């Protein structure tokens, strides 16, 4: 079985090359999202427009990402992850490059929407390929680190914008953000293999030879004859990939993953959009509010690394519920300590570590919850549904502020999604235990029958 051979193999140069290409694609995904927030003030000054025009522009890319996640993920599982990922990377780079020449708000709005469609397809395919080509003992850690590249890209995007805008203007940021993905996409054309599952489904002599060549590079210690019978090791469900997310006992898992991604992205985007503003409104200097936002992102990277290690050792359901319960408490505390910078920074670090860092664990859980033939569709739809949380949470924050809610009350509301996440994880853990007990009971019954 292919999956057994890959899991027994070592993390060699061939897989590292695949992971680096996918990681670069995800980094530029995060770069694009964060850089737009930094260039907006420069565009306002250049075009003499008010801040209100940027609400639809920010939303346009998010809506595009919903469409890309939902639609292109199913296309990738059916027709191939390699062409969809490469096409999404090159398309998003080309449109970002075109954005550097935009001359109007309307053009910027349209270009950001199209860019979002490409960006929405990058992470699901990158996570699916990472999972497929990673040895079993490294799989969870590498999938979480791949998702963490979004945060790394966001940090790089912010730093690049800060360096380029004062001397070269805001258009230079889009030049870098466009050329980079195009270069990565071209490298992928020559260096990125197709999914092994997709190659086996095509059942051609050339595809079979390609699979054998890849397996011999991944696991040279396994002797494979040229006429070896190759199967992936997982049943391939019939029918449309989207419909299969709700069949064969996957309905509850799919709905729980959608709920978790919705809640998680709601937390992330509420804090990313409103934390600096609310801290400043609490009476602290602008510099302090910026530091708080930066700590949130840095802590999320530390959290992703540490939680990946803990999950690898103890499992998703022992680590993530506790992480989100601690994150919910810390989010609720932000409003209580917002006037004390040392306490604020400490609490925000816990939020970033436990709640935002946990997002990568949820992504890895989604990868582990679906067979390889449905993996991109499952991840893509979970992320696509989650994007609605990223759209609605900042809007809800604005509505509550307009109705004069206090800062402490706002952060109490913001803690609710973290509690929902912890609850959903506990439900999924209970279902997993029930499934294990049922399987153990069936095995015992067969043993008694054989006796």
């Amino acid at each position: 079985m292919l999956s057994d051979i890959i899991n027994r193999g070592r993390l060699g140069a061939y897989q590292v090359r695949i992971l680096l290409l996918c990681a670069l694609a995800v980094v530029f995904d995060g770069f694009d999202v964060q850089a737009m927030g930094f260039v907006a003030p420069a565009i306002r000054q250049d075009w003499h427009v008010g801040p209100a025009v940027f609400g639809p522009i920010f939303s346009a890319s998010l809506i595009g990402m919903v469409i890309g996640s939902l639609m292109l993920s199913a296309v990738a599982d059916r027709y191939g992850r390699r062409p969809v990922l490469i096409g999404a990377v090159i398309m998003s780079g080309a449109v970002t490059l075109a954005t550097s020449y935009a001359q109007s708000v309307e053009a910027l709005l349209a270009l950001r929407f199209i860019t979002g469609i490409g960006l929405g397809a990058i992470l699901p395919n990158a996570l699916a390929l990472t999972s497929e080509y990673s040895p079993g003992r490294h799989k969870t850690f590498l999938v979480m680190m791949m998702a963490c590249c979004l945060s790394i890209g966001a940090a790089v995007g912010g730093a690049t914008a800060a360096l380029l805008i004062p001397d070269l203007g805001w258009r230079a940021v889009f030049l870098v953000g466009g050329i980079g993905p195009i270069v990565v996409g071209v490298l992928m054309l020559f260096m990125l293999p197709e999914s092994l599952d997709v190659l086996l489904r095509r059942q051609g002599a050339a595809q079979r030879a390609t699979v054998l060549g890849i397996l011999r590079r991944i696991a040279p210690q396994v002797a494979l004859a040229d006429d070896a019978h190759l199967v992936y090791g997982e049943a391939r469900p019939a029918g449309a990939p989207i419909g299969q997310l709700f069949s064969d006992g996957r309905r509850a898992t799919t709905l729980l993953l959608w709920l978790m991604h919705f809640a998680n992205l709601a937390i992330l985007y509420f804090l990313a959009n409103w934390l600096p503003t609310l801290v400043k409104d609490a009476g602290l200097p602008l510099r302090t509010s910026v530091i708080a936002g930066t700590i949130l992102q840095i802590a999320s990277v530390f959290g992703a690394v540490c939680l990946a290690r803990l999950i690898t050792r103890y499992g998703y359901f022992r680590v993530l519920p506790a992480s989100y319960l601690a994150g919910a408490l810390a989010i609720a505390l932000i409003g209580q300590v917002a006037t004390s910078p040392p306490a604020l920074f400490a609490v925000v670090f816990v939020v970033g570590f436990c709640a935002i860092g946990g997002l990568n664990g949820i992504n890895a859980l989604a990868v582990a919850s679906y067979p390889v033939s449905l993996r991109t569709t499952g991840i893509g739809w979970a992320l696509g549904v989650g994007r609605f949380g990223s759209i609605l949470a900042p809007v809800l924050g604005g509505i509550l502020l307009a109705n004069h809610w206090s800062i402490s009350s706002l952060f109490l509301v913001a803690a609710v999604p973290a509690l929902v996440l912890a609850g959903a994880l506990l439900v999924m853990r209970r279902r997993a235990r029930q499934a294990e007990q049922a399987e153990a009971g069936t095995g015992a019954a067969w043993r008694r029958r054989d006796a």
Side-chain angles (χ1 to χ4, degrees):
M1 291 184 183
L2 270 70
S3 56
D4 292 336
I5 294 173
I6 296 169
N7 286 335
R8 293 203 308 268
R10 297 183 296 271
L11 183 64
Y14 187 76
Q15 293 107 306
V16 169
R17 186 180 75 187
I18 297 169
L19 297 178
L20 284 176
L21 288 170
C22 291
L24 286 171
V26 177
V27 164
F28 277 108
D29 183 349
F31 178 103
D32 183 277
V33 173
Q34 187 64 36
M36 186 62 211
F38 279 90
V39 302
I43 296 175
R44 284 175 53 196
Q45 183 177 353
D46 189 14
W47 289 356
H48 306 289
V49 295
V53 302
F54 283 91
I57 291 172
F58 291 143
S59 297
S61 61
L62 292 172
I63 294 170
M65 291 173 79
V66 171
I67 295 172
S69 293
L70 298 182
M71 298 297 103
L72 295 180
S73 58
V75 173
D77 275 336
R78 183 170 289 273
Y79 298 107
R81 289 163 190 152
R82 180 180 185 273
V84 172
L85 178 56
I86 293 173
V89 171
I90 293 178
M91 183 189 83
S92 62
V95 181
T96 299
L97 190 61
T99 305
S100 66
Y101 297 95
Q103 300 295 331
S104 67
V105 170
E106 292 76 16
L108 191 59
L109 181 69
L111 290 166
R112 293 304 298 166
F113 172 75
I114 299 171
T115 303
I117 294 175
L119 295 177
I122 291 175
L123 185 59
N125 283 283
L127 292 177
L129 286 172
T130 299
S131 174
E132 187 169 355
Y133 280 101
S134 296
R137 61 185 178 276
H138 300 300
K139 195 182 298 290
T140 298
F141 180 79
L142 290 173
V143 169
M144 289 187 67
M145 290 303 96
M146 186 61 63
C148 188
C149 288
L150 278 175
S151 297
I152 296 172
V156 172
T160 302
L163 288 172
L164 294 181
I165 290 175
D167 296 324
L168 300 176
W170 61 269
R171 296 182 189 275
V173 178
F174 288 118
L175 284 171
V176 173
I179 293 172
I182 293 174
V183 172
V184 173
V186 172
L187 291 174
M188 285 179 164
L189 283 171
F190 297 98
M191 301 172 67
L192 185 72
E194 179 56 275
S195 159
L196 294 172
D197 175 69
V198 172
L199 289 172
L200 281 182
R201 271 185 275 153
R202 292 172 181 167
Q203 298 182 342
Q207 286 80 10
R208 176 185 173 82
T210 300
V211 171
L212 282 170
I214 292 173
L215 290 176
R216 286 165 179 160
R217 298 182 72 171
I218 291 176
Q221 76 278 10
V222 179
L224 287 170
D226 291 339
D227 60 348
H229 177 61
L230 299 175
V231 294
Y232 197 88
E234 295 176 348
R236 297 189 186 103
I242 298 170
Q244 292 302 319
L245 298 181
F246 296 92
S247 63
D248 298 329
R250 285 187 284 268
R251 178 183 288 107
T253 296
T254 293
L255 293 176
L256 284 168
L257 287 170
W258 288 6
L259 175 63
M260 286 188 279
H261 277 81
F262 181 95
N264 219 329
L265 289 176
I267 296 170
L268 173 61
Y269 278 80
F270 178 89
L271 293 173
N273 282 274
W274 288 114
L275 178 61
T277 298
L278 294 173
V279 169
K280 187 175 182 300
D281 288 349
L284 294 178
L286 177 62
R287 181 174 178 270
T288 302
S289 67
V290 172
I291 292 173
T294 304
I295 289 174
L296 182 74
Q297 295 296 335
I298 293 173
S300 71
V301 176
F302 280 105
V305 174
C306 294
L307 291 174
R309 291 296 187 189
L310 290 171
I311 289 170
T312 300
R313 183 170 183 177
Y314 298 108
Y316 294 101
F317 301 125
R318 290 184 179 180
V319 175
L320 288 177
S323 180
Y324 278 105
L325 287 172
L329 176 61
I331 293 170
L333 285 174
I334 292 176
Q336 310 299 320
V337 301
T339 57
S340 171
L344 173 67
F345 295 157
V347 170
V348 168
F349 185 89
V350 174
V351 172
F353 188 101
C354 294
I356 311 303
L359 173 59
N360 302 292
I362 299 300
N363 286 328
L365 177 60
V367 170
S369 298
Y370 294 106
V372 65
S373 57
L374 293 176
R375 194 159 287 158
T376 306
T377 302
I379 303 165
W381 273 74
L383 289 169
V385 172
R387 295 289 176 192
F388 288 105
S390 69
I391 295 169
L392 294 176
V395 174
L396 176 61
I399 292 172
L400 296 181
L401 277 174
N403 284 277
H404 309 292
W405 280 51
S406 67
I407 292 175
S408 59
S409 298
L410 280 169
F411 282 109
L412 285 175
V413 171
V416 171
L419 292 174
V420 171
L421 266 159
L425 285 161
L426 292 173
V427 171
M428 189 175 280
R429 181 176 71 176
R430 186 184 65 186
R431 288 179 54 82
R433 285 180 174 176
Q434 290 173 345
E436 290 174 359
Q437 291 170 358
E439 185 176 348
T442 302
W446 278 102
R447 286 192 294 271
R448 287 194 299 270
R449 178 179 174 181
D450 291 340

